[in-house]
Amino acid sequence: MAPKKIPTPQGLSKAVKLPELWRKSSEKSLGSLLKRLRKEVTKSRANLAEDDGLDWLKPRALLKPDDQEEVADADLEEEVGRVLTTINPQWVADEVAYHYGQGRFVVKPRPSYGKAYPLFVFQGTAIRKDSDEAKAQIAAGYGMVSFDDAGPKKAKVKKSAAEEEEEEEPEPEPAATGEEAKPEEDAVAEEEKPVAETEEPAPTEAGAEQVEGEEGEVAEEAEPEEKQEGDAGEEVIEIKPRVKKLANQFNFCERAALTYVFPRRSVDTQTIPPPRANYGSTALQSVIFDFYQEDYARKMKEKEDEKPKRMRKKTTKHAKSAQQIHDEQLAQRIREAWAILERLVNQNIYDDIAQDYRYWDDPSDEFREGMGSLLPLWKFQFEPMRSHAVCDLQWNPHYQDLFAVAYGSLDFTNQQKEGCLCLYSIKNPAYPEYAVITESPIICLDVYKETPYLICVGRYDGNVCVYNAQLTLEGSYQYKSDSVRDKHSNIVWEVRWGARMIDGEASFFSISGDGRVVQWAVMPGELQATTIITLTSNVPPIPGPDGTLVTVNSCGSCICFHPEKSEIFMVGTEEGMIHTCSLKYNRNYVSSVQGHHMPVYRINYNYFNNSIYASCAGDWRVKIWEDGRDEPLFMFELGSPVGDVKWAPYSSTVFAACTADGKVYVYDLNVNKYRPICVQAVVSKKTKKLTRIDFNARLPVIVCGDTKGTCHVLKLSPNLRVMCKPPKKAQGVDQRTLQIMKLDKLLSLVRDPPFTPGVVDEKFEDD
Amino acid sequence: MAEEGAGGAGGEKVIHTYPLIRHSDMSEEMRIEAMELSVTACEKYSQNNELAARMVKESMDKKFGPAFHVVVGESYGFEITYECTTICYMYFGGNQAICIWKCS
């Protein structure tokens, strides 16, 4: 006997073909199943859909994988029965194995279920209704209730399935007993089996013969199983009837819903723990004592230091470094030494002039009754300022030999880029004592009488500054107006120191071409601006480019404070108006006079009579006014624009004027009411003009500046400074009273006839 | 530093009783508070350092949150870990060392 029977070619082919068949049948059965399912679904949900139109419940198109086999619709429609057999295609029919006991090969006992081994056998409790057993039970009074009665409300599908079961169950018993063994194997097969059985008789061309073959085999193989079945059946019989009704145990419906399981997530934050540090120490009496001693010593030292601290603070502020101080001091000492040396040299050079200016008087005056002359003494020039004009000059009120000069430019078409503030001393005509170059031309200056080293200047760019002549030159200005916030928008024409403010701060006033008079309070570290008055003009508002009306301010050109009433000041404008204003009114003028027809260059109060003032203008005229009169008391035409007019500090009736044609005019109204007592050409009228003039308060000299940066110091001849001789009746009367009396006497002559046109018409012929 | 001036400035034999901060990184306000508390406590329980320490600790806990530690004594050594800006090590009365710190 062959040890192992090789499977027949037929069996092999079967085994190969089978999967195909299965697949096909399963595909077809799947199709039919789907169809049926769909039918059922539509059936069961039809009423729902009808009621609410729930479209979403309707089945949708099936999603097909791309590689799905293409099957014709006809084939899909075709109903193919699913064939399941118990035949194991792997099973070998006549397998032998060596039996050690018998010592030979024996045919292996055929396994009852092919290669399947039952692991668990569960005996069903159901019995057939029409079996003997059931009949016996029914006869015994069980199962009186029929299926229909038991579940009248069951779904149709189920019912039909149950009916099918009922119908089909009896049939297979004689034909295919092999299949009967299946329920024991698998519970799922139970459901499919009836379908398969019903399908089986249907003639399927594809697997008809195979099915037949299989069946043949099945028939063969089923025989031993039948025996077992029979055994099982006997066992079942012994089961006692347990329930009255014959309920269908599969006839139930389970419903469940599975909801989403929300994923869980844990979130936590960890903060940085507060910082920690370690510290360790030892507390001992000795340590404590020592520390107390140390602290005490420190405190004592602090106490000692407290007093000099204040002083030290001050010193530390200035002292940048000891070396610097030393250097500065050294430089200062050298500078002083050089200055002395320079003066020595100058004194030698200008020895005769130095003698003359004090002691020499022009002897010719004695023979020229009522006429005087000017003796030129020195010329002051500062080399870098050769092309600049002397825009303002003023003797220092404290030092009789010192005068301040503002270098700027009056040539507005060719304006200089920088200016200069110089202090000259007549002791050194060669070089200024103090000179500081400014970034903008200086137009005007005023020396503070209380602290004569403070000089305020008005600049061409509209700024005002305060210079401290005591500071080193590097210090430049001490105060400066804020160029952005509050500077003038036009040339500052004149600055004048005013009275101290209520809280003690010095203040000065500036007048500018922008029509504003601004008071500047010299605060520590800054200048605080207050607009006192904005000069209005009679010009109607001019329509601007975008239709807005632009009001035109009149341009201020000079300012003059009343010597006694500190709130009253006079303002000259470029239209020739002379306005009397008060600090208390910032809108209206106290009075206003059409003084000139050209810009007013200077208004100057008489030193002896506070109601008399002189004015000069570009209209060639010098006028003497009295407060409250609209017409001048005197008027003089000088034949050229008059740059400056100043009253003499020593005489109530003497004043000097300088003109653009380079001449200085000195008038003494007491001597001659119509003509000057001295006319002297100081500079060549072709190249230079005289701009400003000033009397020295104590010395009989005047200084005048020209447009080429030169300052001329001239000595007044005796005839120009005649003092009043006290009358014999009142010998003890002082000079000042006499001067006032002299002026009053003169004025009374002019006043009585209100106005003498002859004075006006008197033209100076000397030109 | 302590504002209270020293006692008599009599050369060698000067007894200092004012509170004197040896080491502290507390804020100004907290330091002054701690100092005043220590002074009060040490004056109140001048014979009992334990009670003084307890008083300071409890008051500090109330004012600045819990977990303050206070040591009051005349001679001791320590090596501590503290939360920053909460230490104050001071002397008082010329012979007492008070250490206040917070650590939770």
Side-chain angles (χ1 to χ4, degrees):
Chain A
M1 209 176 189
K4 197 174 183 182
K5 196 183 176 184
I6 299 158
T8 55
Q10 206 191 352
L12 193 71
S13 68
K14 257 188 231 164
V16 175
K17 278 177 185 170
L18 207 64
E20 274 181 30
L21 179 76
W22 275 14
R23 207 181 64 182
K24 198 167 185 190
S25 66
S26 69
E27 260 174 29
K28 286 199 175 169
S29 68
L30 195 73
S32 65
L33 198 72
L34 270 168
K35 234 170 81 180
R36 222 165 58 187
L37 251 164
R38 212 176 294 161
K39 236 183 258 170
E40 280 164 23
V41 167
T42 46
K43 217 191 271 174
S44 62
R45 285 180 181 168
N47 34 4
L48 265 174
E50 276 163 27
D51 288 352
D52 301 310
L54 297 168
D55 295 343
W56 59 275
L57 281 174
K58 282 176 184 169
R60 302 210 175 125
L62 282 170
L63 289 171
K64 283 184 186 174
D66 296 339
D67 55 345
Q68 192 174 351
E69 198 180 329
E70 288 292 329
V71 184
D73 278 352
D75 287 355
L76 278 175
E77 289 302 310
E78 190 185 354
E79 297 211 343
V80 179
R82 200 171 359 173
V83 180
L84 278 172
T85 66
T86 54
I87 309 301
N88 183 357
Q90 304 294 327
W91 176 65
V92 182
D94 300 320
E95 199 178 2
V96 291
Y98 186 79
H99 195 283
Y100 291 94
Q102 292 172 10
R104 64 190 178 95
F105 286 96
V106 292
V107 176
K108 271 179 94 178
R110 203 171 131 198
S112 45
Y113 309 110
K115 283 273 178 175
Y117 300 95
L119 297 172
F120 173 70
V121 178
F122 179 73
Q123 296 292 344
T125 54
I127 51 172
R128 290 197 182 278
K129 200 180 175 185
D130 49 11
S131 66
D132 297 338
E133 194 190 344
K135 277 170 188 163
Q137 280 185 28
I138 291 162
Y142 293 105
M144 293 303 282
V145 188
S146 73
F147 279 109
D148 294 340
D149 293 345
K153 290 202 171 120
K154 292 269 156 71
K156 266 184 187 174
V157 190
K158 293 281 176 187
K159 208 185 254 177
S160 67
E163 275 162 11
E164 271 180 330
E165 246 181 297
E166 269 182 83
E167 286 163 16
E168 288 151 17
E169 264 164 14
E171 286 170 27
E173 264 213 313
T177 41
E179 264 95 315
E180 273 302 286
K182 287 222 62 168
E184 280 142 337
E185 274 180 36
D186 202 9
V188 186
E190 177 94 21
E191 231 184 315
E192 289 165 2
K193 191 181 70 190
V195 183
E197 277 165 49
T198 48
E199 239 65 298
E200 213 176 343
T204 50
E205 291 123 25
E209 37 178 75
Q210 280 168 20
V211 170
E212 268 183 313
E214 269 174 47
E215 268 181 5
E217 268 188 0
V218 168
E220 285 173 6
E221 289 154 11
E223 277 174 15
E225 280 173 26
E226 235 178 329
K227 279 181 195 166
Q228 280 191 349
E229 178 87 343
D231 293 342
E234 242 135 14
E235 278 172 22
V236 171
I237 291 164
E238 276 154 39
I239 293 169
K240 283 177 184 173
R242 31 171 194 102
V243 282
K244 262 193 168 179
K245 62 172 181 181
L246 295 172
N248 180 357
Q249 61 175 324
F250 302 109
N251 207 3
F252 65 91
C253 181
E254 218 172 54
R255 282 166 197 266
L258 188 64
T259 56
Y260 287 110
V261 180
F262 290 106
R264 286 188 190 173
R265 196 183 301 151
S266 58
V267 176
D268 50 44
T269 319
Q270 198 164 25
T271 55
I272 301 162
R276 291 184 175 189
N278 289 320
Y279 180 68
S281 181
T282 312
L284 288 172
Q285 288 305 300
S286 55
V287 175
I288 296 173
F289 180 79
D290 284 351
F291 194 67
Y292 265 108
Q293 289 296 323
E294 214 175 277
D295 182 65
Y296 182 68
R298 195 162 50 228
K299 264 185 194 164
M300 294 318 280
K301 202 185 166 200
E302 266 173 33
K303 227 178 228 173
E304 277 170 22
D305 289 352
E306 215 151 82
K307 276 179 188 171
K309 222 179 203 174
R310 267 173 249 137
M311 286 150 83
R312 213 186 300 155
K313 262 184 195 168
K314 273 186 183 172
T315 50
T316 47
K317 255 186 188 175
H318 288 288
K320 289 145 202 161
S321 73
Q323 186 62 38
Q324 252 177 332
I325 298 169
H326 180 257
D327 288 354
E328 272 173 28
Q329 281 174 344
L330 195 69
Q332 185 63 33
R333 271 166 57 195
I334 292 169
R335 214 177 290 143
E336 278 168 15
W338 278 114
I340 289 167
L341 199 65
E342 195 179 22
R343 282 189 190 184
L344 286 174
V345 173
N346 277 315
Q347 209 173 343
N348 284 334
I349 295 169
Y350 298 104
D351 183 47
D352 47 345
I353 299 174
Q355 297 291 334
D356 283 355
Y357 106 93
R358 273 286 166 113
Y359 309 110
W360 189 84
D361 283 330
D362 195 349
S364 63
D365 271 22
E366 287 173 29
F367 311 104
R368 295 187 296 181
E369 191 60 39
M371 290 298 279
S373 67
L374 294 167
L375 172 72
L377 294 171
W378 299 279
K379 282 180 187 174
F380 292 88
Q381 261 183 342
F382 185 40
E383 196 51 37
M385 292 296 134
R386 230 170 215 297
S387 53
H388 284 65
V390 175
C391 287
D392 206 357
L393 45 76
Q394 191 175 35
W395 285 98
N396 193 292
H398 191 258
Y399 300 100
Q400 59 183 13
D401 61 323
L402 202 66
F403 63 95
V405 179
Y407 283 108
S409 174
L410 295 172
D411 184 3
F412 304 115
T413 53
N414 184 20
Q415 188 53 241
Q416 300 287 341
K417 283 208 176 62
E418 51 188 21
C420 182
L421 172 69
C422 290
L423 293 183
Y424 289 104
S425 169
I426 55 173
K427 289 171 186 165
N428 181 5
Y431 199 81
E433 296 288 303
Y434 174 93
V436 58
I437 307 284
T438 59
E439 65 258 44
S440 179
I442 297 181
I443 301 299
C444 51
L445 63 81
D446 194 27
V447 183
Y448 197 28
K449 282 189 177 58
E450 288 183 36
T451 47
Y453 52 83
L454 279 185
I455 300 159
C456 64
V457 301
R459 308 201 310 185
Y460 185 75
D461 63 1
N463 275 317
V464 292
C465 302
V466 176
Y467 284 88
N468 186 344
Q470 280 191 331
L471 293 184
T472 50
L473 293 180
E474 300 92 70
S476 181
Y477 54 83
Q478 194 162 25
Y479 304 98
K480 189 186 167 213
S481 61
D482 192 312
S483 296
V484 177
R485 199 174 61 228
D486 47 25
K487 74 158 194 166
H488 282 291
S489 54
N490 206 328
I491 304 167
V492 181
W493 280 115
E494 192 158 7
V495 284
R496 281 283 168 256
W497 286 97
R500 281 188 180 272
M501 314 262 291
I502 297 161
D503 40 357
E505 272 113 12
S507 74
F508 63 93
F509 297 81
S510 64
I511 188 162
S512 157
D514 64 0
R516 287 193 302 148
V517 177
V518 175
Q519 183 180 23
W520 304 87
V522 182
M523 310 294 265
E526 61 161 357
L527 292 176
Q528 206 172 47
T530 317
T531 303
I532 297 298
I533 195 168
T534 305
L535 306 174
T536 53
S537 69
N538 298 326
V539 181
I542 296 164
D546 53 346
T548 52
L549 292 179
V550 179
T551 50
V552 182
N553 291 335
S554 62
C555 303
S557 58
C558 63
I559 187 170
C560 178
F561 274 85
H562 195 278
E564 274 178 8
K565 299 176 203 155
S566 60
E567 78 274 9
I568 300 290
F569 61 95
M570 261 187 252
V571 162
T573 70
E574 289 192 359
E575 298 99 89
M577 297 294 289
I578 296 173
H579 304 294
T580 309
C581 309
S582 170
L583 297 180
K584 287 167 184 167
Y585 315 113
N586 60 356
R587 291 214 170 265
N588 299 322
Y589 307 124
V590 174
S591 66
S592 178
V593 176
Q594 175 69 53
H596 293 271
H597 302 289
M598 291 283 276
V600 181
Y601 288 141
R602 181 74 86 191
I603 301 169
N604 192 240
Y605 268 100
N606 192 292
Y607 289 91
F608 297 91
N609 191 326
N610 292 336
S611 61
I612 303 296
Y613 58 92
S615 73
C616 68
D619 62 355
W620 300 7
R621 284 174 182 171
V622 172
K623 293 184 184 182
I624 310 296
W625 304 83
E626 186 173 25
D627 272 344
R629 276 179 194 253
D630 289 346
E631 297 296 331
L633 298 174
F634 298 97
M635 186 154 72
F636 307 98
E637 266 206 45
L638 305 187
S640 180
V642 187
D644 203 357
V645 64
K646 287 276 169 72
W647 287 98
Y650 54 85
S651 169
S652 59
T653 53
V654 176
F655 64 90
C658 62
T659 60
D661 59 358
K663 284 178 183 161
V664 174
Y665 294 80
V666 182
Y667 284 85
D668 190 342
L669 300 176
N670 198 35
V671 177
N672 195 331
K673 287 196 277 290
Y674 311 111
R675 291 157 194 265
I677 53 169
C678 169
V679 181
Q680 187 144 339
V682 177
V683 293
S684 152
K685 74 173 175 184
K686 293 213 172 119
T687 54
K688 295 174 181 178
K689 296 171 186 173
L690 284 183
T691 51
R692 294 296 191 193
I693 191 167
D694 198 25
F695 279 94
N696 190 308
R698 273 162 279 179
L699 301 173
V701 296
I702 56 167
V703 62
C704 53
D706 66 21
T707 51
K708 293 291 172 195
T710 314
C711 296
H712 305 266
V713 177
L714 309 160
K715 181 166 183 176
L716 300 159
S717 68
N719 274 353
L720 303 181
R721 46 187 166 97
V722 233
M723 292 292 129
C724 293
K725 282 175 189 155
K728 281 167 189 165
K729 287 175 189 172
Q731 283 292 336
V733 181
D734 66 341
Q735 188 61 231
R736 185 172 172 80
T737 326
L738 292 173
Q739 291 289 351
I740 296 168
M741 283 163 62
K742 179 172 80 174
L743 185 59
D744 284 345
K745 191 180 164 194
L746 177 74
L747 290 174
S748 61
L749 290 173
V750 189
R751 277 190 205 124
D752 270 341
F755 184 64
T756 44
V759 178
V760 184
D761 295 337
E762 189 70 37
K763 193 154 181 204
F764 188 69
E765 303 152 3
D766 212 357
D767 194 49
Chain B
M1 280 294 142
E3 291 86 15
E4 287 108 298
E12 291 289 307
K13 286 257 175 182
V14 184
I15 298 161
H16 306 287
T17 54
Y18 57 90
L20 181 56
I21 303 271
R22 175 68 197 257
H23 172 86
S24 175
D25 64 350
M26 281 179 175
S27 62
E28 181 73 26
E29 182 194 3
M30 197 174 176
R31 189 168 67 232
I32 288 165
E33 185 70 42
M35 211 162 75
E36 280 175 1
L37 260 172
S38 316
V39 170
T40 317
C42 288
E43 277 172 357
K44 194 173 175 188
Y45 304 105
S46 53
Q47 301 304 310
N48 193 336
N49 287 345
E50 200 182 328
L51 284 177
R54 175 184 290 273
M55 181 185 167
V56 174
K57 184 224 157 24
E58 280 169 0
S59 310
M60 288 298 280
D61 278 356
K62 256 184 220 167
K63 279 192 174 119
F64 302 105
F68 268 97
H69 308 266
V70 180
V71 177
V72 179
E74 290 189 2
S75 94
Y76 57 90
F78 61 93
E79 184 71 39
I80 52 159
T81 299
Y82 63 96
E83 282 177 21
C84 286
T85 74
T86 60
I87 195 174
C88 180
Y89 178 43
M90 57 183 282
Y91 299 140
F92 175 69
N95 61 344
Q96 272 182 319
I98 302 155
C99 186
I100 304 168
W101 78 96
K102 182 179 176 174
C103 186
S104 45

